[in-house]
Amino acid sequence: MQKILLTGGAGYIGSHTAIYLLEHGYDVVIVDNLSNASRKAVDAIKNITRKSFKFYRADVRYKTALYKVFRENKIDAVVHFAGLKAVGESVDKPLMYYDNNLKSTVALLNVMKAYNVTRVVFSSSATIYADPDSRLYNEKTTKVARATNAYGTTKVMQEYILEDTVNGAEFSDAGGLKVMSLRYFNPIGAHESGDIGENPNGIPNNLAPYITQVLVGRREYLSVFGDDYDTPDGTCIRDYIHITDLAIGHTLALKYLFSLTGAHFDAINLGSGKGSSVFEVIKSFEKAAGAEVPYKITGRRAGDLPETVADVQKAKNILGFVTTHTLDDGTLDSLNWQQKHPNGFEELD
Ligand code: NAD
Ligand code: UD1
């Protein structure tokens, strides 16, 4: 059985990927410092899958902690989710973001090298793209550029660190580093059980968790950040991808890396290829809830682009990845999780 180390595996995307891997014949080990996750997410993974796995509460920046994990487990591949991800916070505290996100990647690579572990899937983001020259964001033709915020810039820099290491000689004796950087678009949804889901700290920055908190009465109304964009209904368009589809994408990426010999770097979009506007997302949630989502139109949010939608051809060609969940599946599952646990994991205290 292949053993996959998930850094940041107690978080939103990591926990759902852990469930999928455990249910599909993999063993997992999770390392997470719980800076943005609850210990209860780890328990929920165990309860949902009825499988046991090792969890280490540790910071990926510190090699001593990582050495212990690699010494105690024969790791076959890594999925590196660990990272800070709040855009606004990263503008206020860039050093904290560079320190956490860059140091963790460098430490991880060094320890992987020491243990001859040569396969890693990386959590990248659509945020690394500059304005696209066509409607869809394409891995080859859309420029990657320094982002408008430190969070996004750490993702660009981490891709460079990974690619340079693939091209360098440090992993040569181990057979070459193999990296798949997955550029996620907008994750939505939760496990079908409703017993694990997105659990943001404080006021949610992202659209779906904000709306679900409005729908369970934790917040009064949604602020729609602008209805004067050059889009059909004036609100921004995003590509929402169900969290289970994302988990499947990681599993396919791992399979792909296991099929390779020699050094390799590639970056692939994970999206649905379909754009939905803020108003369409609101409508989908209203259908799921059978209730209205109260909202007010406010000003545009700095840094928002009118439309970001993935070109999904490469994911299909290389990984055989296609999404099977719709936006309605995503909003229904997000709402189900929030209704079962109105206060997220606090509820289980
Ligand atoms: P999340 O915050 O729920 O999960 C990240 C996890 O990493 C958390 O559990 C946190 O405690 C842990 N962590 C952070 N720094 C750590 C460190 N130094 N050592 C150990 N653990 C650490 O976020 P998520 O939404 O699950 O995102 C996972 C990854 O995907 C992140 O790298 C994020 O930047 C990236 N990503 C997320 C989105 C999104 O919209 N959710 C979009 C694109 C990319
Ligand atoms: C945001 C980040 C991006 C990050 C992504 C996933 C910014 C500028 N961008 O992208 O870097 O990779 O999250 O974590 O922060 N919206 C509202 N009201 C809200 C929240 C959002 O109208 O309360 C709108 C936004 O304007 C946007 C859409 O909903 O049009 C989706 O927003 P969000 O979930 O924050 O995702 P992104 O904007 O794609």
Side-chain angles (χ1 to χ4, degrees), residues 298-323:
T298 60
R300 293 181 176 196
R301 179 173 68 179
D304 273 345
L305 293 169
E307 181 169 10
T308 66
V309 181
D311 184 332
V312 294
Q313 206 52 47
K314 187 171 178 186
K316 191 173 175 190
N317 292 346
I318 293 189
L319 303 179
F321 175 75
V322 282
T323 56

mmCIF file of all heavy atoms in Angstrom, residues 298-323:
data_model
loop_
_atom_site.group_PDB
_atom_site.id
_atom_site.type_symbol
_atom_site.label_atom_id
_atom_site.label_comp_id
_atom_site.label_asym_id
_atom_site.label_seq_id
_atom_site.Cartn_x
_atom_site.Cartn_y
_atom_site.Cartn_z
ATOM 1 N N THR A 298 -21.984 46.143 -2.655
ATOM 2 C CA THR A 298 -21.017 47.110 -2.127
ATOM 3 C C THR A 298 -19.975 47.356 -3.215
ATOM 4 O O THR A 298 -20.101 46.850 -4.316
ATOM 5 C CB THR A 298 -20.341 46.562 -0.846
ATOM 6 O OG1 THR A 298 -19.671 45.357 -1.191
ATOM 7 C CG2 THR A 298 -21.350 46.297 0.249
ATOM 8 N N GLY A 299 -18.949 48.081 -2.871
ATOM 9 C CA GLY A 299 -17.911 48.402 -3.866
ATOM 10 C C GLY A 299 -17.097 47.181 -4.252
ATOM 11 O O GLY A 299 -17.145 46.138 -3.588
ATOM 12 N N ARG A 300 -16.349 47.342 -5.312
ATOM 13 C CA ARG A 300 -15.457 46.263 -5.760
ATOM 14 C C ARG A 300 -14.388 45.978 -4.705
ATOM 15 O O ARG A 300 -13.977 46.894 -3.989
ATOM 16 C CB ARG A 300 -14.741 46.689 -7.048
ATOM 17 C CG ARG A 300 -15.671 46.835 -8.231
ATOM 18 C CD ARG A 300 -14.859 47.224 -9.449
ATOM 19 N NE ARG A 300 -15.693 47.285 -10.653
ATOM 20 C CZ ARG A 300 -15.218 47.294 -11.889
ATOM 21 N NH1 ARG A 300 -13.907 47.269 -12.095
ATOM 22 N NH2 ARG A 300 -16.015 47.336 -12.935
ATOM 23 N N ARG A 301 -13.944 44.733 -4.635
ATOM 24 C CA ARG A 301 -12.831 44.375 -3.756
ATOM 25 C C ARG A 301 -11.530 44.537 -4.543
ATOM 26 O O ARG A 301 -11.433 44.049 -5.676
ATOM 27 C CB ARG A 301 -12.992 42.930 -3.285
ATOM 28 C CG ARG A 301 -11.883 42.428 -2.367
ATOM 29 C CD ARG A 301 -12.175 41.056 -1.806
ATOM 30 N NE ARG A 301 -12.152 40.013 -2.819
ATOM 31 C CZ ARG A 301 -12.364 38.725 -2.585
ATOM 32 N NH1 ARG A 301 -12.642 38.326 -1.352
ATOM 33 N NH2 ARG A 301 -12.334 37.842 -3.555
ATOM 34 N N ALA A 302 -10.551 45.199 -3.924
ATOM 35 C CA ALA A 302 -9.274 45.421 -4.618
ATOM 36 C C ALA A 302 -8.682 44.091 -5.059
ATOM 37 O O ALA A 302 -8.688 43.116 -4.301
ATOM 38 C CB ALA A 302 -8.301 46.144 -3.687
ATOM 39 N N GLY A 303 -8.196 44.057 -6.275
ATOM 40 C CA GLY A 303 -7.499 42.853 -6.764
ATOM 41 C C GLY A 303 -8.407 41.859 -7.467
ATOM 42 O O GLY A 303 -7.921 40.904 -8.069
ATOM 43 N N ASP A 304 -9.733 42.046 -7.391
ATOM 44 C CA ASP A 304 -10.636 41.097 -8.051
ATOM 45 C C ASP A 304 -10.609 41.267 -9.569
ATOM 46 O O ASP A 304 -10.677 42.382 -10.072
ATOM 47 C CB ASP A 304 -12.084 41.298 -7.563
ATOM 48 C CG ASP A 304 -12.377 40.508 -6.307
ATOM 49 O OD1 ASP A 304 -11.579 39.605 -5.967
ATOM 50 O OD2 ASP A 304 -13.410 40.780 -5.665
ATOM 51 N N LEU A 305 -10.547 40.157 -10.270
ATOM 52 C CA LEU A 305 -10.630 40.192 -11.735
ATOM 53 C C LEU A 305 -12.050 39.836 -12.144
ATOM 54 O O LEU A 305 -12.728 39.077 -11.439
ATOM 55 C CB LEU A 305 -9.650 39.170 -12.334
ATOM 56 C CG LEU A 305 -8.166 39.467 -12.119
ATOM 57 C CD1 LEU A 305 -7.309 38.274 -12.499
ATOM 58 C CD2 LEU A 305 -7.759 40.694 -12.935
ATOM 59 N N PRO A 306 -12.521 40.364 -13.279
ATOM 60 C CA PRO A 306 -13.908 40.102 -13.683
ATOM 61 C C PRO A 306 -14.198 38.617 -13.895
ATOM 62 O O PRO A 306 -15.268 38.138 -13.545
ATOM 63 C CB PRO A 306 -14.078 40.859 -15.002
ATOM 64 C CG PRO A 306 -12.850 41.645 -15.201
ATOM 65 C CD PRO A 306 -11.828 41.267 -14.194
ATOM 66 N N GLU A 307 -13.224 37.895 -14.460
ATOM 67 C CA GLU A 307 -13.533 36.512 -14.833
ATOM 68 C C GLU A 307 -12.287 35.641 -14.747
ATOM 69 O O GLU A 307 -11.263 35.965 -15.339
ATOM 70 C CB GLU A 307 -14.077 36.506 -16.276
ATOM 71 C CG GLU A 307 -14.461 35.136 -16.753
ATOM 72 C CD GLU A 307 -15.238 35.164 -18.076
ATOM 73 O OE1 GLU A 307 -15.304 36.233 -18.706
ATOM 74 O OE2 GLU A 307 -15.762 34.109 -18.460
ATOM 75 N N THR A 308 -12.372 34.552 -14.008
ATOM 76 C CA THR A 308 -11.282 33.566 -14.055
ATOM 77 C C THR A 308 -11.897 32.183 -14.233
ATOM 78 O O THR A 308 -12.648 31.715 -13.381
ATOM 79 C CB THR A 308 -10.398 33.570 -12.778
ATOM 80 O OG1 THR A 308 -11.170 33.126 -11.681
ATOM 81 C CG2 THR A 308 -9.856 34.934 -12.451
ATOM 82 N N VAL A 309 -11.577 31.571 -15.349
ATOM 83 C CA VAL A 309 -12.095 30.234 -15.669
ATOM 84 C C VAL A 309 -10.944 29.392 -16.229
ATOM 85 O O VAL A 309 -10.151 29.881 -17.032
ATOM 86 C CB VAL A 309 -13.259 30.290 -16.687
ATOM 87 C CG1 VAL A 309 -13.794 28.895 -16.979
ATOM 88 C CG2 VAL A 309 -14.388 31.184 -16.181
ATOM 89 N N ALA A 310 -10.884 28.146 -15.786
ATOM 90 C CA ALA A 310 -9.775 27.270 -16.180
ATOM 91 C C ALA A 310 -9.972 26.690 -17.571
ATOM 92 O O ALA A 310 -11.070 26.284 -17.939
ATOM 93 C CB ALA A 310 -9.668 26.117 -15.186
ATOM 94 N N ASP A 311 -8.868 26.622 -18.308
ATOM 95 C CA ASP A 311 -8.804 25.750 -19.475
ATOM 96 C C ASP A 311 -8.488 24.363 -18.894
ATOM 97 O O ASP A 311 -7.455 24.186 -18.241
ATOM 98 C CB ASP A 311 -7.674 26.226 -20.401
ATOM 99 C CG ASP A 311 -7.619 25.414 -21.689
ATOM 100 O OD1 ASP A 311 -8.032 24.240 -21.669
ATOM 101 O OD2 ASP A 311 -7.153 25.960 -22.703
ATOM 102 N N VAL A 312 -9.379 23.398 -19.094
ATOM 103 C CA VAL A 312 -9.238 22.107 -18.404
ATOM 104 C C VAL A 312 -8.706 20.994 -19.315
ATOM 105 O O VAL A 312 -8.656 19.831 -18.915
ATOM 106 C CB VAL A 312 -10.578 21.674 -17.750
ATOM 107 C CG1 VAL A 312 -10.939 22.635 -16.627
ATOM 108 C CG2 VAL A 312 -11.703 21.603 -18.771
ATOM 109 N N GLN A 313 -8.305 21.387 -20.522
ATOM 110 C CA GLN A 313 -7.883 20.377 -21.490
ATOM 111 C C GLN A 313 -6.643 19.591 -21.044
ATOM 112 O O GLN A 313 -6.562 18.383 -21.200
ATOM 113 C CB GLN A 313 -7.619 21.075 -22.839
ATOM 114 C CG GLN A 313 -7.783 20.168 -24.040
ATOM 115 C CD GLN A 313 -9.129 19.425 -24.057
ATOM 116 O OE1 GLN A 313 -10.168 20.031 -23.845
ATOM 117 N NE2 GLN A 313 -9.102 18.110 -24.278
ATOM 118 N N LYS A 314 -5.697 20.313 -20.448
ATOM 119 C CA LYS A 314 -4.445 19.644 -20.059
ATOM 120 C C LYS A 314 -4.711 18.617 -18.948
ATOM 121 O O LYS A 314 -4.154 17.507 -18.974
ATOM 122 C CB LYS A 314 -3.412 20.689 -19.604
ATOM 123 C CG LYS A 314 -2.047 20.095 -19.347
ATOM 124 C CD LYS A 314 -1.003 21.179 -19.114
ATOM 125 C CE LYS A 314 0.357 20.561 -18.812
ATOM 126 N NZ LYS A 314 1.351 21.590 -18.438
ATOM 127 N N ALA A 315 -5.558 18.982 -18.005
ATOM 128 C CA ALA A 315 -5.889 18.040 -16.914
ATOM 129 C C ALA A 315 -6.524 16.783 -17.489
ATOM 130 O O ALA A 315 -6.273 15.665 -17.039
ATOM 131 C CB ALA A 315 -6.830 18.711 -15.915
ATOM 132 N N LYS A 316 -7.345 16.984 -18.513
ATOM 133 C CA LYS A 316 -8.010 15.847 -19.149
ATOM 134 C C LYS A 316 -6.991 15.002 -19.910
ATOM 135 O O LYS A 316 -6.959 13.770 -19.771
ATOM 136 C CB LYS A 316 -9.090 16.379 -20.103
ATOM 137 C CG LYS A 316 -10.015 15.314 -20.606
ATOM 138 C CD LYS A 316 -11.138 15.945 -21.403
ATOM 139 C CE LYS A 316 -11.989 14.841 -22.016
ATOM 140 N NZ LYS A 316 -12.951 15.358 -22.975
ATOM 141 N N ASN A 317 -6.138 15.674 -20.683
ATOM 142 C CA ASN A 317 -5.184 14.941 -21.523
ATOM 143 C C ASN A 317 -4.144 14.186 -20.699
ATOM 144 O O ASN A 317 -3.820 13.041 -20.983
ATOM 145 C CB ASN A 317 -4.432 15.900 -22.462
ATOM 146 C CG ASN A 317 -5.369 16.493 -23.500
ATOM 147 O OD1 ASN A 317 -6.486 16.019 -23.687
ATOM 148 N ND2 ASN A 317 -4.933 17.559 -24.164
ATOM 149 N N ILE A 318 -3.607 14.852 -19.685
ATOM 150 C CA ILE A 318 -2.471 14.246 -18.960
ATOM 151 C C ILE A 318 -2.937 13.368 -17.797
ATOM 152 O O ILE A 318 -2.397 12.284 -17.582
ATOM 153 C CB ILE A 318 -1.491 15.340 -18.492
ATOM 154 C CG1 ILE A 318 -0.866 15.959 -19.739
ATOM 155 C CG2 ILE A 318 -0.425 14.772 -17.553
ATOM 156 C CD1 ILE A 318 0.256 16.902 -19.501
ATOM 157 N N LEU A 319 -3.932 13.856 -17.075
ATOM 158 C CA LEU A 319 -4.355 13.102 -15.884
ATOM 159 C C LEU A 319 -5.621 12.282 -16.120
ATOM 160 O O LEU A 319 -5.992 11.458 -15.290
ATOM 161 C CB LEU A 319 -4.627 14.069 -14.716
ATOM 162 C CG LEU A 319 -3.481 14.990 -14.289
ATOM 163 C CD1 LEU A 319 -3.925 15.887 -13.140
ATOM 164 C CD2 LEU A 319 -2.260 14.166 -13.863
ATOM 165 N N GLY A 320 -6.316 12.542 -17.204
ATOM 166 C CA GLY A 320 -7.619 11.906 -17.413
ATOM 167 C C GLY A 320 -8.659 12.467 -16.452
ATOM 168 O O GLY A 320 -9.614 11.790 -16.068
ATOM 169 N N PHE A 321 -8.456 13.730 -16.058
ATOM 170 C CA PHE A 321 -9.328 14.342 -15.042
ATOM 171 C C PHE A 321 -10.487 15.109 -15.665
ATOM 172 O O PHE A 321 -10.269 15.999 -16.490
ATOM 173 C CB PHE A 321 -8.503 15.311 -14.180
ATOM 174 C CG PHE A 321 -9.311 16.080 -13.177
ATOM 175 C CD1 PHE A 321 -9.785 15.461 -12.032
ATOM 176 C CD2 PHE A 321 -9.619 17.418 -13.381
ATOM 177 C CE1 PHE A 321 -10.536 16.161 -11.093
ATOM 178 C CE2 PHE A 321 -10.371 18.134 -12.452
ATOM 179 C CZ PHE A 321 -10.827 17.493 -11.307
ATOM 180 N N VAL A 322 -11.696 14.746 -15.265
ATOM 181 C CA VAL A 322 -12.868 15.563 -15.611
ATOM 182 C C VAL A 322 -13.732 15.665 -14.359
ATOM 183 O O VAL A 322 -13.803 14.720 -13.564
ATOM 184 C CB VAL A 322 -13.737 14.951 -16.755
ATOM 185 C CG1 VAL A 322 -13.121 15.169 -18.113
ATOM 186 C CG2 VAL A 322 -14.019 13.485 -16.523
ATOM 187 N N THR A 323 -14.362 16.803 -14.177
ATOM 188 C CA THR A 323 -15.188 16.952 -12.970
ATOM 189 C C THR A 323 -16.528 16.249 -13.181
ATOM 190 O O THR A 323 -17.033 16.180 -14.306
ATOM 191 C CB THR A 323 -15.433 18.438 -12.644
ATOM 192 O OG1 THR A 323 -16.026 19.060 -13.799
ATOM 193 C CG2 THR A 323 -14.142 19.144 -12.303
#
